[in-house]
């Protein structure tokens, strides 16, 4: 199995279509993991429904996994009927998706997604993936190919979706610490940064896709190669 990680998309269908076309043509036996923030664009261009159809196609023919994220969580809460402040990207996402999907269709798809996934590459190195921060206190049972985190404590859920915060609720850039003694590589999107120092056991793939100067980052795990579209 050749795992391929895709960073935050934010409703950029053109970039995603290019990335998936490249994967299908150039990476054999690929299995895609989307690191979350599928929807909500800050640019003039947004095509959430096209992104939805591309991701669903990747589920069918690339065995794709989609991880929960803060933007998707807000969308889920809205679809459940919770009080959610709608503005900007979320408003556009709802307008684009609910023209062609029912609330039940969209909601039932979103809630099937995992909070985290664990796998080993062809060299036996373990990767633990979450949108923002995979808390190593979360128990991982023995697994053969991959292990999914589907049920999670509330405090762990917040870390998986939003990351770590200090006492003033500022983001903690955990990859800047010395993580070299970890027994696994921690993978995330979320942070508007690309960081591929695997010696420090950290991999971040959010290259501002969905913003005016952004691109979509794709990482071929076995070959240790980064591509951007």
């Amino acid at each position: 199995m050749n795992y391929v990680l895709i960073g935050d998309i934010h409703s950029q269908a053109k970039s995603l279509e290019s990335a998936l076309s490249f994967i299908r043509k150039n990476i054999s036996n690929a299995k895609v993991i989307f690191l979350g923030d599928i929807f909500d664009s800050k640019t003039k261009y947004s095509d959430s429904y096209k992104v939805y159809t591309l991701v669903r196609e990747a589920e069918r023919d690339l065995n794709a996994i989609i991880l929960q994220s803060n933007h998707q969580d807000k969308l889920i809460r809205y679809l459940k009927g919770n009080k959610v402040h709608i503005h900007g990207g979320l408003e556009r996402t709802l307008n684009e998706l609910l023209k062609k999907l029912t609330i039940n269709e969209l909601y039932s798809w979103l809630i099937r997604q995992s909070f985290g996934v664990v796998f080993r590459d062809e060299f036996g190195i373990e990767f633990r993936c979450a949108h923002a921060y995979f808390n190593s206190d979360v128990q991982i049972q023995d697994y053969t190919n991959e292990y999914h985190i589907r049920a999670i404590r509330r405090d762990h859920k917040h870390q998986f979706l939003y990351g770590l915060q200090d006492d003033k609720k500022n983001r903690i850039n955990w990859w800047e610490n010395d993580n070299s003694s970890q027994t696994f590589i921690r993978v995330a999107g979320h942070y508007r940064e690309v960081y591929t120092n695997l010696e420090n056991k950290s991999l971040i793939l959010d290259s501002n896709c969905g913003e005016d100067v952004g691109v979509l980052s794709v990482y071929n795990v076995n070959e240790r190669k980064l591509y951007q579209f």
Side-chain angles (χ1 to χ4, degrees):
M1 187 67 66
N2 198 346
Y3 285 92
V4 181
L5 308 169
I6 298 182
D8 302 27
I9 301 165
H10 288 296
S11 297
Q12 302 304 294
K14 294 176 183 177
S15 295
L16 179 58
E17 192 165 34
S18 296
L20 292 174
S21 176
F22 175 85
I23 292 167
R24 290 185 175 99
K25 291 176 182 177
N26 296 283
I27 304 177
S28 61
N29 200 28
K31 180 163 189 174
V32 166
I33 298 177
F34 294 101
L35 295 176
D37 280 4
I38 302 295
F39 306 120
D40 299 352
S41 173
K42 293 183 179 179
T43 69
K44 293 181 180 179
Y45 174 76
S46 176
D47 194 341
S48 300
Y49 182 72
K50 179 65 173 178
V51 166
Y52 170 82
T53 61
L54 291 168
V55 171
R56 295 304 303 267
E57 288 171 4
E59 284 184 290
R60 290 190 291 270
D61 60 27
L62 293 171
N63 299 307
I65 299 165
I66 303 97
L67 296 187
Q68 298 281 10
S69 68
N70 54 315
H71 282 262
Q72 288 151 232
D73 185 61
K74 191 173 184 180
L75 176 56
I76 288 170
R77 287 186 282 116
Y78 172 83
L79 296 173
K80 286 175 65 176
N82 293 355
K83 187 176 181 180
V84 173
H85 182 53
I86 300 173
H87 65 284
L90 178 58
E91 183 176 21
R92 294 168 73 184
T93 295
L94 288 166
N95 288 336
E96 291 163 0
L97 291 177
L98 295 183
K99 286 179 181 178
K100 299 188 177 182
L101 298 170
T102 67
I103 287 177
N104 285 339
E105 283 177 316
L106 183 56
Y107 177 77
S108 63
W109 177 69
L110 287 167
I111 62 171
R112 290 201 305 267
Q113 299 160 9
S114 301
F115 289 99
V117 64
V118 181
F119 67 87
R120 290 186 180 91
D121 67 7
E122 65 177 358
F123 310 107
I125 297 172
E126 187 173 78
F127 288 70
R128 299 187 184 183
C129 308
H131 175 64
Y133 183 78
F134 196 111
N135 188 316
S136 56
D137 291 338
V138 173
Q139 185 175 5
I140 299 171
Q141 298 175 7
D142 290 338
Y143 65 94
T144 301
N145 297 315
E146 60 193 37
Y147 183 78
H148 291 247
I149 308 297
R150 301 191 186 279
I152 198 167
R153 272 177 18 192
R154 185 173 182 177
D155 57 336
H156 287 159
K157 176 182 174 181
H158 190 273
Q159 292 177 352
F160 272 58
L161 301 184
Y162 291 90
L164 300 179
Q165 296 178 330
D166 62 21
D167 293 339
K168 296 181 180 179
K169 295 189 176 181
N170 297 312
R171 282 182 179 176
I172 295 174
N173 295 344
W174 43 265
W175 60 92
E176 295 177 353
N177 300 327
D178 181 6
N179 303 303
S180 58
S181 62
Q182 280 178 195
T183 59
F184 61 90
I185 294 171
R186 184 178 275 117
V187 181
H190 186 60
Y191 294 97
R192 301 181 183 179
E193 180 160 339
V194 174
Y195 183 87
T196 59
N197 185 356
L198 298 194
E199 290 184 2
N200 197 34
K201 306 296 178 67
S202 301
L203 177 59
I204 300 173
L205 297 173
D206 181 7
S207 43
N208 296 299
C209 196
E211 299 188 21
D212 290 331
V213 297
V215 294
L216 179 62
S217 284
V218 173
Y219 192 82
N220 183 333
V221 171
N222 286 349
E223 295 187 6
R224 306 296 198 254
K225 286 187 178 179
L226 174 70
Y227 305 95
Q228 293 184 318
F229 301 87

